[in-house]
Amino acid sequence: MRYSFDVPVQPHAVAVAEVVPGDLLALSEQDAVENTWYVVMHTSPETPHTMRLTLRPPLGGRDHDEVFERGLQVAVGERRMDVSAIPEIISHDLDAMEFRDGDQLTSLRVVDPRAVEEPYTRRWGQWYRDLDSRAQEPLSDAELRERAARAVRQGHVVRHHPRPRRSAEAHAPRRVVVTGLGAVTPLGVGVGELWQGLMEGRCGIRELEGEEFAGLPVRIAGTVPVDPAGLLPRPQARRMNRSAQFAVLAAREAWRDAGFDPAGTRESGLAPERVGVSAGAILGDASVLVGGDRRLRERGPRAVSPLTTPMTVPSQAASQVSLALRITGEARTVTSACASGTEAIGQAIDRIRYGHVDLALAGGAEAVVTPAIMASFAAMRALSAHPIGSTSPSRPFAADRDGFVNGEGAGFLLLEAEEHARARGARVYCEAAGWGLSADAHHMAAPDPSGSGVALALRRAVQDAGAHIVDVVHVNAHATATVDGDLAEAGALRAVLGGRVPVTALKGHLGHLQGAAGGVEAVATVLTLHHGLIPPTIGCDVQDDAIDLDVVTKNPRALPARGDLALSNSFGFGGHNAVLAFRRTP
């Protein structure tokens, strides 16, 4: 039982001879001022002129005896306490104790009736007052022991609580791991080209050729340097839009990378109904609809292909991936602006966690480098006007950033229930540990400058991963290089993480891949954990002072040793915020 002292103790003076068990006693006027109180547990005559009082701190502790003159005036609180409800507790000896991560230490100033217990938790070999804040420096084991010894001398009870044992839960969500990666990006076809380009700081942004782009105010984009149709069987390629072609190439690479037969599910020994596809896209490929409209106006209805509609819908990428690998469990499409790919991966994590499927290909694909889209972005003044030169035109977090660079591509992860992956001896890149969503509810295109929606998504992703803020070792930022967007994201990262976590932004290498950005950047985040190296941000030659983040530039940097969680951010027009959390595996 703990007594509740919602209001300060009101002392009044009495003689020691009047004190009875249960009285709350301050031994001096100064003790009363400093909230140093004891409960009288027992009284007995010592001599005809003195009394022996047995005293115990009001919040529990050890007894000690004091002998007083009977007529001595002491301060007594206005309430009387039940002596049987006050625990007799002692501080633990920490000198020879072996600590483990997950242990907790509590310190309570037991002589103060209104004291609040101060907890410290051990994480990554250090002790934290609050695992979800980086505002205070953590303590080493030696520093904690020293602080605890000082607290005991000041009237605290210090207790050690070993980390609790985990109990098996019959219906606990399954852990999800990443076993395969695939990508088609402006740096080339394949994950190898992507990672090598990121490590080398290469830029995949190019001048747009063709007379349809000639009159545009901005004629640069992050385009894939290879025609995807030439990498697929011709009959299949003709029935896919460009976005779906990217998706199939990236998904097949992830499938093979996970160790499965390229022919599909049954050939890989899988039940097709236990496999899913989750793809993000904004439009998919706008050029098919534009081309159909042009043929209608120029040559009439008979010139419009019957494939125009099925090749226009954003769901074509998911559909074509499921067709290519004979996946029948589900083929879902997520459309939430530039957060689409990230949200598609998050939804797939949950579908596996809760047993709907055992594995899923998840990511995003987009091909919207078209004249109308480019003209629209330019009219919004959202595109960068920097030319291609010695540094990237896309300049995330830079002082001279002036807008994003449109791009295209696809990125897919092969997500799998951990027990399924372990049973077949699969190579595991990392754990897909959690995700978070939020909405700004601020503007149809502009970000909320407060960054509060972004901060909420960040916290939810960490919480969903069963982790704490101190676990975060890296952030792959959305950072489109727009003035307001980068500031809002940076403010949210500082508010949640304290600004001391190394951050990278990849849109200087790739441009903004729209609905595919989340998929490709998730692939890069997984590789960052797997290799222990953070790719540098290019285009940020001079960082904006207002960003105030630890942005990795110039060269790759090793991941911090303490912590295991990396976050991948995606934010879209209309206030869509999505964050993925990946955990480094031993």
Side-chain angles (χ1 to χ4, degrees), residues 91-446:
S91 292
H92 291 157
D93 182 5
L94 305 181
D95 289 342
M97 194 166 288
E98 183 176 346
F99 298 131
R100 300 181 304 164
D101 276 8
D103 286 1
Q104 192 174 70
L105 197 83
T106 56
S107 176
L108 178 64
R109 188 171 182 263
V110 290
V111 295
D112 181 356
R114 303 181 71 205
V116 177
E117 201 164 47
E118 297 180 357
Y120 288 83
T121 305
R122 196 174 191 267
R123 193 85 166 173
W124 308 111
Q126 296 179 300
W127 294 86
Y128 294 86
R129 278 291 307 275
D130 183 354
L131 291 174
D132 290 314
S133 171
R134 294 178 181 267
Q136 294 182 339
E137 289 293 331
L139 302 175
S140 66
D141 288 347
E143 289 170 330
L144 184 86
R145 286 189 171 98
E146 182 181 340
R147 179 168 293 193
R150 186 165 60 249
V152 170
R153 292 194 296 270
Q154 295 172 348
H156 292 240
V157 167
V158 175
R159 296 177 64 78
H160 172 255
H161 308 275
R163 116 184 134 196
R165 294 183 178 274
R166 290 185 178 178
S167 58
E169 297 180 46
H171 302 289
R174 300 188 295 181
R175 290 182 75 210
V176 181
V177 295
V178 180
T179 57
L181 302 173
V184 178
T185 75
L187 292 174
V189 176
V191 168
E193 288 292 315
L194 170 64
W195 186 245
Q196 184 176 354
L198 295 179
M199 289 291 103
E200 294 174 353
R202 283 195 277 115
C203 178
I205 296 169
R206 301 170 176 81
E207 294 280 354
L208 292 172
E209 300 177 353
E211 67 176 280
E212 70 269 29
F213 296 107
L216 297 180
V218 176
R219 294 184 297 278
I220 58 170
T223 54
V224 173
V226 177
D227 181 5
L231 303 176
L232 294 165
R234 182 173 174 80
Q236 294 179 21
R238 290 182 61 193
R239 292 176 175 270
M240 299 183 203
N241 64 33
R242 185 175 174 86
S243 172
Q245 291 168 358
F246 290 151
V248 169
L249 289 171
R252 278 182 168 170
E253 182 186 15
W255 186 259
R256 291 191 305 270
D257 187 44
F260 294 122
D261 191 315
T265 50
R266 292 200 182 280
E267 293 81 357
S268 301
L270 299 170
E273 68 275 10
R274 298 298 302 166
V275 185
V277 179
S278 184
I282 303 175
L283 298 174
D285 184 349
S287 64
V288 176
L289 185 60
V290 171
D293 184 67
R294 183 186 298 119
R295 284 189 290 273
L296 174 65
R297 285 185 284 107
E298 292 176 354
R299 297 159 51 192
R302 291 183 179 274
V304 178
S305 168
L307 295 176
T308 300
T309 298
M311 289 177 61
T312 295
V313 293
S315 60
Q316 220 222 4
S319 171
Q320 289 294 337
V321 171
S322 72
L323 281 167
L325 297 168
R326 300 301 175 192
I327 294 169
T328 64
E330 57 189 37
R332 63 178 54 236
T333 299
V334 177
T335 301
S336 52
C338 307
S340 299
T342 294
E343 185 174 345
I345 294 169
Q347 289 195 15
I349 290 171
D350 278 352
R351 299 299 286 174
I352 297 170
R353 271 178 173 172
Y354 298 107
H356 300 286
V357 293
D358 296 321
L359 59 159
L361 283 161
E366 202 80 75
V368 290
V369 182
T370 64
I373 297 295
M374 293 291 294
S376 173
F377 283 144
M380 294 171 65
R381 298 183 180 178
L383 294 181
S384 173
H386 290 303
I388 295 175
S390 59
T391 191
S392 173
S394 175
R395 302 179 181 181
F397 296 135
D400 61 347
R401 68 190 184 280
D402 66 345
F404 70 84
V405 173
N406 194 19
E408 64 178 8
F412 275 79
L413 311 181
L414 195 292
L415 301 173
E416 195 167 350
E418 183 183 35
E419 64 266 28
H420 191 278
R422 301 292 185 194
R424 66 182 186 87
R427 179 264 332 275
V428 171
Y429 283 104
C430 66
E431 179 187 357
W435 65 302
L437 289 178
S438 72
D440 281 353
H442 174 74
H443 188 272
M444 67 177 293

